Amino acid sequence: MTEVAASDQLLVVIDPVARWTDGESVRIAKDVLSAGATTKVCLPEGPEEFARALARRGSRRPVVVGDDRALLRAVSLLHRQRELAGCGVSLVPVGGVLSLARALGVPVGAVAAARAVLDGVERRLDLLVDESDGVVLGALRIPPVGAGGGMRGAEEVEVGGLGGVGGFGDAEGSGSSGGSAGFGSFGGGASGLGGHAWLRTCQSLVRTLAARPARVASVPGPGPSRLRVEVDGVTLVDLDQPVEAVSVTPGVAGGAEVEVRPVSVGAEASPLRVVGRRVTVSGADFRYRADSVVSGPVRTRTWTVREGGWGLTLPS
């Protein structure tokens, strides 16, 4: 656990979807952060600018203003740059997908979250890393079924992809000024977009997708899967035993909790639970949900626990 100094210089990266969906919370968070620390505010237009802002942060501590997908994007980029060990991340949750932020203990109110960034402590947390450099911060699920059904997961990925569109470069400043020249006109409305009609179209599309209800009735749930699940080299379930679901959650004494739910035949089958550091799932093509992102299909994937692999600022 590392104490965070309020005098730190902050790189505040504001996700476009957060600006469009809740511009007022973005403004409040920016004002609180700017009043308590020297800040540089970045409004990336897309994934490339998001990555470039993080790469050029210098000694500034990155603060992400956005939802779970924005946090996952930042951590994934820092992992690929092999900089997670020396660079903690702070989050001000703004947006519609905040279940991961809540589970991690981040306050969801703009003022409380911004105060935690300034006055909180950095805690080292475990994460899962796969062989393709993907990361899992909260939970892994096979099959990738969320509260809204299979199609909802796909929509969340699409909205996350559009989240990289919009915004205008970055601006910087210090102290109470907050350093965001021109930010006031970008408080979430269309007025900051000027004559860029295509940006207004993108904004409308994102709002439509974000507000679209989950189509549960039209999408049947996935059937049983035949998967081999190995934990630390020991086979927990093999291909001859169909399973309903597999979940992997990091953060259990330096390992991950693995739960496999076999298909019940007659009497209800009890779930199998073990803790391990390396989990391999293989079998027929399968998809999986890592935090808010659905990936696949793949035939095999291995996840390894990185104990204390990333740092997140949380209330002290």
Side-chain angles (χ1 to χ4, degrees), residues 121-189:
V121 294
E122 180 185 315
R123 301 181 187 275
R124 302 303 298 183
L125 305 174
D126 297 349
L127 78 161
L128 298 172
V129 177
D130 65 38
E131 66 270 39
S132 66
D133 258 355
V135 299
V136 183
L137 307 181
L140 171 75
R141 298 283 185 267
I142 306 171
V145 178
M151 181 58 72
R152 183 58 179 170
E155 287 178 359
E156 288 185 353
V157 173
E158 292 169 6
V159 174
L162 288 172
V165 181
F168 283 97
D170 62 68
E172 69 178 278
S174 61
S176 61
S177 66
S180 182
F183 178 88
S185 64
F186 212 130

Side-chain angles (χ1 to χ4, degrees), residues 146-224:
M151 181 58 72
R152 183 58 179 170
E155 287 178 359
E156 288 185 353
V157 173
E158 292 169 6
V159 174
L162 288 172
V165 181
F168 283 97
D170 62 68
E172 69 178 278
S174 61
S176 61
S177 66
S180 182
F183 178 88
S185 64
F186 212 130
S191 59
L193 296 176
H196 297 268
W198 68 274
L199 283 174
R200 289 197 297 271
T201 301
C202 289
Q203 176 183 359
S204 175
L205 177 59
V206 169
R207 284 176 172 168
T208 300
L209 288 173
R212 184 187 301 172
R215 291 169 285 180
V216 178
S218 61
V219 180

Side-chain angles (χ1 to χ4, degrees), residues 17-32 65 92-94 109-111 183-184 186-189 207:
V17 175
R19 301 199 300 269
W20 292 336
T21 57
D22 193 351
E24 180 64 14
S25 292
V26 169
R27 183 191 63 78
I28 292 171
K30 172 188 166 293
D31 288 348
V32 173
V65 179
V92 178
V94 177
V111 173
F183 178 88
F186 212 130
R207 284 176 172 168

Side-chain angles (χ1 to χ4, degrees), residues 33 104 134 211 245:
L33 293 172
L104 292 172

Side-chain angles (χ1 to χ4, degrees), residues 9-10 34 37-41 60 170-181:
Q9 293 187 357
L10 304 179
S34 299
T38 301
T39 60
K40 175 180 180 179
V41 177
R60 298 180 181 92
D170 62 68
E172 69 178 278
S174 61
S176 61
S177 66
S180 182

